Amino acid sequence: DAMVIQNPRYQVTQFGKPVTLSCSQTLNHNVMYWYQQKSSQAPKLLFHYYDKDFNNEADTPDNFQSRRPNTSFCFLDIRSPGLGDAAMYLCATSRGYSENQPQHFGDGTRLSIL
Amino acid sequence: DQQVKQNSPSLSVQEGRISILNCDYTNSMFDYFLWYKKYPAEGPTFLISISSIKDKNEDGRFTVFLNKSAKHLSLHIVPSQPGDSAVYFCAAKGVEYKLSFGAGTTVTVRA
């Protein structure tokens, strides 16, 4: 089945130690998104790629960066994780921005900071 | 600033009865609204949507109602089934790409 796959499902890292989360898709969608979701809160968009064009949200901390080496893969890099970065990170894809092109989500990576 | 609000964090309903989930928004530029369903340990999955030019959209047991003047939408599930137990997120979209999500409502369907 075509899908959005996130690895790993659970990630534990130490305070200040860089960590990379991975997302891959077999849908051949143009757009890939990264969301942060903390407990009992709404998912918050961090940034997205439309093809190779990177779009950062204004309030995304500089500590968060992303790479999209090809259509299928997108990475979220956290340079120096702090305790406040512990959250669920969701990757999503969509064919485009149109209304009839809803976002498809992966199952998320739960990040813990020691 | 939270532009999409789901004021009921949880809802418990008996199997076979109607589930009504509510969502309010503040941004009048939103013109498309979606509901996503999320099971534990899984990502959200798209459920149903509605354009601002409509006031109702129905898909099987799921119906979404939109009241633009009140900036309010609701999701009705009739009849509710045990497999409907999940977290439901309301989301709204404006002129660009961005989806604004609510914090979710946890639905529990009792046998």
Side-chain angles (χ1 to χ4, degrees):
Chain A
D1 286 343
M3 57 179 60
V4 181
I5 302 167
Q6 292 189 241
N7 285 305
R9 295 294 309 276
Y10 301 91
Q11 176 73 57
V12 181
T13 191
Q14 292 179 334
F15 182 94
K17 185 173 181 181
V19 65
T20 295
L21 309 183
S22 168
C23 178
S24 64
Q25 55 129 343
T26 60
L27 297 160
N28 203 32
H29 281 174
N30 296 309
V31 193
M32 295 187 78
Y33 309 80
W34 279 104
Y35 288 87
Q36 179 192 64
Q37 185 184 17
K38 296 188 177 180
S39 181
S40 300
Q41 296 183 21
K44 177 178 177 294
L45 183 65
L46 295 173
F47 27 57
H48 78 280
Y49 277 92
Y50 196 119
D51 291 332
K52 295 184 178 181
D53 293 332
F54 177 69
N55 298 272
N56 198 28
E57 294 302 301
D59 55 355
T60 298
D62 293 339
N63 201 25
F64 291 83
Q65 297 178 334
S66 186
R67 297 171 282 134
R68 188 178 185 185
N70 54 53
T71 300
S72 301
F73 283 88
C74 195
F75 300 99
L76 169 61
D77 300 308
I78 309 177
R79 288 191 296 182
S80 182
L83 296 178
D85 297 328
M88 174 70 80
Y89 290 88
L90 294 166
C91 174
T93 73
S94 67
R95 188 169 299 283
Y97 292 154
S98 297
E99 292 179 351
N100 63 345
Q101 297 169 335
Q103 294 181 23
H104 298 257
F105 284 82
D107 289 340
T109 295
R110 181 164 297 281
L111 178 66
S112 299
I113 313 295
L114 299 180
Chain B
D1 184 27
Q2 194 73 5
Q3 298 186 74
V4 178
K5 293 184 180 179
Q6 295 176 254
N7 291 319
S8 297
S10 63
L11 171 70
S12 180
V13 63
Q14 193 160 13
E15 183 178 0
R17 307 295 288 267
I18 184 171
S19 293
I20 300 177
L21 291 79
N22 293 303
C23 178
D24 297 294
Y25 61 96
T26 57
N27 189 340
S28 58
M29 297 301 292
F30 289 148
D31 60 0
Y32 195 70
F33 304 89
L34 307 90
W35 286 93
Y36 280 82
K37 177 180 179 179
K38 183 184 181 304
Y39 291 119
E42 294 184 13
T45 56
F46 170 69
L47 185 60
I48 192 170
S49 62
I50 188 167
S51 168
S52 60
I53 62 173
K54 296 185 176 180
D55 55 18
K56 177 182 174 181
N57 187 28
E58 190 172 353
D59 183 2
R61 295 185 298 113
F62 302 91
T63 303
V64 56
F65 295 92
L66 176 62
N67 182 334
K68 283 183 63 178
S69 60
K71 294 191 178 68
H72 177 84
L73 65 155
S74 61
L75 174 67
H76 292 209
I77 307 173
V78 184
S80 299
Q81 299 175 353
D84 297 330
S85 295
V87 179
Y88 290 79
F89 291 96
C90 171
K93 186 173 182 291
V95 294
E96 295 184 335
Y97 57 86
K98 189 169 181 176
L99 278 183
S100 296
F101 284 88
T105 296
T106 300
V107 172
T108 302
V109 179
R110 309 187 309 271

